[in-house]
Each structure stands twice: as C-alpha cells, then as structure tokens.
Amino acid sequence: MSTSEAESNAPMGKPSLFRVLRDQRKTLLVALVLVVATYWIAGQLGEWRLAGCIAVGIGLGFANHVLTEFWLLKLISSGETPTRARIAASTFVRLLILTVVAVTIAVFFWPDGIGLLLGLAIFRLIALVMTGIPLLKELNKV
C-alpha cells in the first residue's frame, strides 16, 4: 500500500471548527482583505456605516462558508450515507437563517444596510471561484 492510499484510508479524526478554520486559511485571508479594502475605500468617501454593513455581509458569508464546511466534515467523518432530503433540509435551514439575519440587519440599517447584501454576494462569488478553480484543475487531470 502506498503512502497516498494509507492517507486516504486513515481515519479523519474528530471534526472540529478549529480544523475547518485551519483548512480555510486562504478563504479567511480573502475575507480579511475584503474587509480591509472595504474600510479603506469607504473611509476615503466618509461612508463608515456602509463599510460596516459590507464588512458584516462579508463576515456572514464567511460564517456560512465555514459552517457548511464543518457540516460536510462531520458528515464525511461519520461514515453514514447522506440522503438528498437530509442535505436539502440542512442547506435550506442554514440559508433560511442566513437570509433572515441578513435581511433583518439590512432593513434596520437602511439604506446603508444594502451594503450587507452586497458584501454577502461579493464574498459568496469569490468563495465560489476559490472552490471551483481547484475542482476544475482536478477535472482537467482526468
């Protein structure tokens, strides 16, 4: 058995939020760069409240990303086969909570609150690209 086979058959260990955060270092770095850029650009314009809303949107996007990864890690390490209904229900609940929180904050801080939705969308797009590029590279190897 080669070392790569031994690594793929080795137990993953107990899933933890720390492990997910460690695995998502690049995503965390991107989120921090986006927040700093937001405050720098909006600070130049004197729009601190808008910058705060965009930063909260980026933070909510990052939290959703990490919670999704944590849930997937727990699911994979449990060894059970997930059903489509279970995956759909979990995704629906997570996105429903995210939507309620985001829209509530956006309405409370209106009109600057729209920046929260903008920050959430920008982070989601960048996270999708960061997730998709390695997948496309892997598919091209096959």
Side-chain angles (χ1 to χ4, degrees), residues 28-79:
L28 176 60
L29 182 64
V30 167
L32 290 174
V33 167
L34 284 173
V35 168
V36 168
T38 297
Y39 275 106
W40 185 72
I41 292 169
Q44 300 293 320
L45 302 172
E47 296 289 337
W48 296 104
R49 190 170 164 179
L50 177 63
C53 288
I54 294 173
V56 169
I58 293 167
L60 284 174
F62 181 72
N64 179 49
H65 184 76
V66 167
L67 290 174
T68 301
E69 292 289 326
F70 182 62
W71 179 77
L72 288 171
L73 184 62
K74 280 180 26 179
L75 187 67
I76 291 168
S77 65
S78 72

Side-chain angles (χ1 to χ4, degrees), residues 7-39:
E7 288 173 1
S8 65
N9 292 334
M12 293 183 63
K14 184 179 177 190
S16 71
L17 199 53
F18 177 73
R19 178 178 176 185
V20 173
L21 287 172
R22 189 183 67 224
D23 291 344
Q24 295 298 321
R25 285 186 307 261
K26 288 180 185 175
T27 309
L28 176 60
L29 182 64
V30 167
L32 290 174
V33 167
L34 284 173
V35 168
V36 168
T38 297
Y39 275 106

Side-chain angles (χ1 to χ4, degrees), residues 15 20-21 43 48 67 84 92 97-98 105 112 118 126 138:
V20 173
L21 287 172
W48 296 104
L67 290 174
R84 285 185 181 181
F92 178 75
I97 292 169
L98 178 70
I105 295 171
D112 294 323
L118 176 68
I126 290 173
E138 197 64 34

